[in-house]
Amino acid sequence: MSEKNLTFKFCDQVVKDFEHVVKHPIVGKSSVYYTGVDLGTACVVLAVVDENYKPVAGAYKYADVVRDGMVVDYIGAINIVREMKHEIEEKLGTELIYGAAAIPPGTDELDSGAVKNVVQAAGFELTSVLDEPTAANKVLRIKNGAVVDIGGGTTGISILKDGKVVYIADEPTGGTQFSLVVSGAYKMPFAEAELYKRNPENHKDLLPVLKPVVEKIASIINQHIKGYDVQEISLVGGTCCLTGIETIIEKKTGIFTHKPENPMFVTPLGIALSCTQESI
């Protein structure tokens, strides 16, 4: 394993552990549980960690309650988070009290209130709201580089220097554009294109079709990292599940690009790791 890949060993292991506990929750005697709530454009994810911040349970559900990083179905979002919360509580045999959330970078004045209200209305004591790429870096642990969170509606970029965020940006390009291209290329309804895109068995054929959109994302990354000494890029977000996306971005940026085993779960895990017992 190369030195650069060793950097992400912690991230890949935590994601692997989380994937396991989603199917097989760890029922123990933790004194407290912390929950990360990720309201994604295509998928809502809840990640639960114990008092030692180890993954113990989780759940996810594809939904259409957020668009371009903004909550558009407030009641629907509350109901989904509440249902998933109760589902996990039944499995763990305890109440989930503390929750944290994240929003696309630069949207705090636009939508942080809605996200806060969703989490609180679902029954959590909200302890933290941070931007998505910064949350992801709680798991990635990048000291110098860029975290690129490609979600359903937007691409968020955080540049880190000495472990601190020095720049954030958010652009309206993501998985929605992928689905639109698939819908047009294969003459199928948008909803069907969404499902078709998620199937890894279709990715080999889809990659050439989606390459122009991936290259656009790469150009957005290049635009925002210009002037910064970015040595590595780490991709997170559900849209990055597209097989081969990292190869195209690395080629267009000329920068080493890493993608975790399952990039969809990095941000919600980072949110959970940011959760405390202090309400905001």
Side-chain angles (χ1 to χ4, degrees):
M1 185 178 287
S2 70
E3 184 177 344
K4 284 185 175 178
N5 283 330
L6 279 171
T7 305
F8 301 102
K9 189 175 180 180
F10 172 79
C11 170
D12 289 339
Q13 186 60 54
V14 171
V15 171
K16 184 178 180 181
D17 292 344
F18 179 68
E19 288 181 306
H20 179 75
V21 300
V22 167
K23 297 179 180 179
H24 308 284
I26 298 175
V27 180
K29 296 181 179 179
S30 180
S31 61
V32 65
Y33 292 94
Y34 303 107
T35 305
V37 181
D38 187 7
L39 295 173
T41 298
C43 191
V44 178
V45 184
L46 263 64
V48 182
V49 296
D50 64 12
E51 60 190 354
N52 298 313
Y53 288 95
K54 303 293 183 183
V56 293
Y60 63 95
K61 182 176 183 178
Y62 288 100
D64 187 24
V65 295
V66 175
R67 290 177 192 166
D68 298 333
M70 309 292 287
V71 177
V72 294
D73 183 356
Y74 181 70
I75 300 301
I78 293 171
N79 288 337
I80 288 173
V81 175
R82 184 182 289 150
E83 288 169 8
M84 294 168 70
K85 178 177 184 286
H86 289 165
E87 173 190 326
I88 296 172
E89 287 174 336
E90 287 186 1
K91 291 178 179 178
L92 293 178
T94 188
E95 182 182 3
L96 299 177
I97 298 173
Y98 305 104
I103 55 176
T107 64
D108 52 320
E109 293 183 1
L110 297 173
D111 206 45
S112 64
V115 172
K116 289 176 184 177
N117 290 338
V118 167
V119 176
Q120 290 172 327
F124 287 105
E125 287 187 21
L126 187 67
T127 70
S128 179
V129 177
L130 59 164
D131 72 85
E132 291 167 349
T134 300
N137 199 46
K138 293 285 186 178
V139 181
L140 295 165
R141 295 183 171 182
I142 290 175
K143 293 296 183 183
N144 298 285
V147 178
V148 179
D149 190 334
I150 308 176
T154 64
T155 294
I157 301 167
S158 284
I159 298 176
L160 296 106
K161 184 174 178 61
D162 298 326
K164 296 182 179 180
V165 176
V166 296
Y167 176 84
I168 59 173
D170 194 56
E171 293 278 359
T173 299
T176 299
Q177 284 68 36
F178 281 26
S179 298
L180 288 169
V181 170
V182 173
S183 177
Y186 291 88
K187 303 294 188 291
M188 61 176 65
F190 181 84
E192 188 177 333
E194 274 279 326
L195 296 175
Y196 190 83
K197 175 190 71 176
R198 292 175 196 160
N199 188 344
E201 293 181 2
N202 300 325
H203 289 182
K204 185 176 181 180
D205 292 333
L206 281 178
L207 193 62
V209 176
L210 294 174
K211 186 178 178 182
V213 188
V214 178
E215 289 180 337
K216 180 184 178 183
I217 291 173
S219 69
I220 289 172
I221 296 170
N222 277 331
Q223 174 189 340
H224 286 285
I225 65 175
K226 189 175 181 180
Y228 293 91
D229 184 24
V230 174
Q231 298 296 317
E232 59 191 19
I233 294 168
S234 193
L235 303 177
V236 298
T239 299
C240 293
C241 291
L242 176 68
T243 306
I245 188 175
E246 68 277 15
T247 303
I248 296 174
I249 290 178
E250 181 168 319
K251 184 176 181 181
K252 292 296 290 185
T253 61
I255 298 171
F256 171 77
T257 301
H258 165 265
K259 184 175 80 171
E261 295 283 332
N262 191 333
M264 185 171 77
F265 292 145
V266 175
T267 299
L269 281 165
I271 299 171
L273 295 181
S274 305
C275 189
T276 65
Q277 296 183 51
E278 298 179 8
S279 299
I280 61 173

